[in-house]
């Protein structure tokens, strides 16, 4: 078993919990002996996609880049965890098609309702968006197209990040993507 790569792609509104769940899932993947890289939307935008904005065109370029990198890295045998709003179905499908040439693609729709995301407002962005200070803000002044057939849809309302991460890991188990835990040798 040398090629065990796959892509775990979290999509959803800002504040839905993509990054938080990804950060909770990652250590368990590593405990299973998997090599993991995390392409987080906010970080990607400071490197790979520096200079891109939030028009539909720029968002599409951003997701095409993430999908391309994810496909290469998964092909090399690592797990790529992506957390990116990725609001357009067409571009998520494009990313899936690039990845599936080499490795499984697991789409997780973090379907926390807008009201809950806005209540959390971890970065203060919803307050600004509702005040009209941010143009093209997903869910407020730009669209979010819900995934039609994600491998998993989960609403984090009333759940802890640990519980939400456990739901993701269960789904990966069902999909036969989790190797057994690597036991510490004494
Ligand atoms: P996103 O990456 O989708 O923009 P973040 O992970 O940055 O979202 O923020 C989600 C916020 O919601 C964090 O403040 C997190 O602590 C909180 N939260 C509460 N419950 C959950 C849960 N079950 N899963 C994930 N995040 C949760």
């Amino acid at each position: 078993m040398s090629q065990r790569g796959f892509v775990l792609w979290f999509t959803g509104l800002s504040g839905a919990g993509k990054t938080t769940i990804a950060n909770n899932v990652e250590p368990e993947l590593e405990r299973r002996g998997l090599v993991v890289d995390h392409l987080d939307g906010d970080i990607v935008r400071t490197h790979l996609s520096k200079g891109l904005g939030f028009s539909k065109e720029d968002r599409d370029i951003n997701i095409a880049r993430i999908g391309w990198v994810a496909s290469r890295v998964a092909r090399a045998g690592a797990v790529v965890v992506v957390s990116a709003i990725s609001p357009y179905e067409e571009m998520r499908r494009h990313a899936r098609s690039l990845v599936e040439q080499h490795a499984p693609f697991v789409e997780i729709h973090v379907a926390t309702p807008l009201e809950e995301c806005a209540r959390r407002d971890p970065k203060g962005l919803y307050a600004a968006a509702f005040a009209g200070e941010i143009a093209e803000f997903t869910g407020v002044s730009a669209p979010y197209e819900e995934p039609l057939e994600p491998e998993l849809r989960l609403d984090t309302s009333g759940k802890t990040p640990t519980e939400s991460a456990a739901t993701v890991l269960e789904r990966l188990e069902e999909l036969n993507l989790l190797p057994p835990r690597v036991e510490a040798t004494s």
Side-chain angles (χ1 to χ4, degrees), residues 13-21 120 122-123 156 159-161 164:
L13 298 173
S14 178
K18 302 177 296 296
T19 301
T20 304
I21 299 171
R120 291 178 186 169
K123 298 170 212 155
T156 65
K159 300 270 195 283
T160 66
S164 298

Side-chain angles (χ1 to χ4, degrees), residues 82-98:
V82 175
S83 46
I85 297 173
S86 39
Y88 296 108
E89 176 70 10
E90 184 189 358
M91 292 312 292
R92 291 190 304 261
R93 276 178 194 271
H94 174 67
R96 180 187 287 272
S97 71
L98 289 177

Side-chain angles (χ1 to χ4, degrees), residues 87-113:
Y88 296 108
E89 176 70 10
E90 184 189 358
M91 292 312 292
R92 291 190 304 261
R93 276 178 194 271
H94 174 67
R96 180 187 287 272
S97 71
L98 289 177
V99 170
E100 285 185 340
Q101 292 169 27
H102 309 293
F105 184 91
V106 182
E107 185 177 15
I108 312 283
H109 177 202
V110 186
T112 311

Side-chain angles (χ1 to χ4, degrees), residues 23-130:
N23 287 339
N24 278 268
V25 165
E26 225 179 301
E28 181 60 24
L29 298 177
E30 284 168 349
R31 276 195 286 275
R32 307 291 183 122
L34 297 165
V35 174
V36 186
D37 195 10
H38 184 181
L39 297 176
D40 183 71
D42 290 340
I43 297 169
V44 166
R45 281 180 171 279
T46 68
H47 297 281
L48 182 67
S49 287
K50 189 172 179 165
L52 290 182
F54 292 88
S55 65
K56 174 158 192 316
E57 188 187 9
D58 279 9
R59 287 176 191 263
D60 285 355
I61 295 168
N62 181 45
I63 295 307
R65 287 180 186 170
I66 295 174
W68 186 81
V69 173
S71 75
R72 305 290 301 186
V73 177
R75 186 175 77 147
V79 176
V80 185
V81 179
V82 175
S83 46
I85 297 173
S86 39
Y88 296 108
E89 176 70 10
E90 184 189 358
M91 292 312 292
R92 291 190 304 261
R93 276 178 194 271
H94 174 67
R96 180 187 287 272
S97 71
L98 289 177
V99 170
E100 285 185 340
Q101 292 169 27
H102 309 293
F105 184 91
V106 182
E107 185 177 15
I108 312 283
H109 177 202
V110 186
T112 311
L114 177 69
E115 301 69 43
E116 174 64 10
C117 297
R119 193 189 63 74
R120 291 178 186 169
D121 207 3
K123 298 170 212 155
L125 294 173
Y126 282 95
F130 284 123

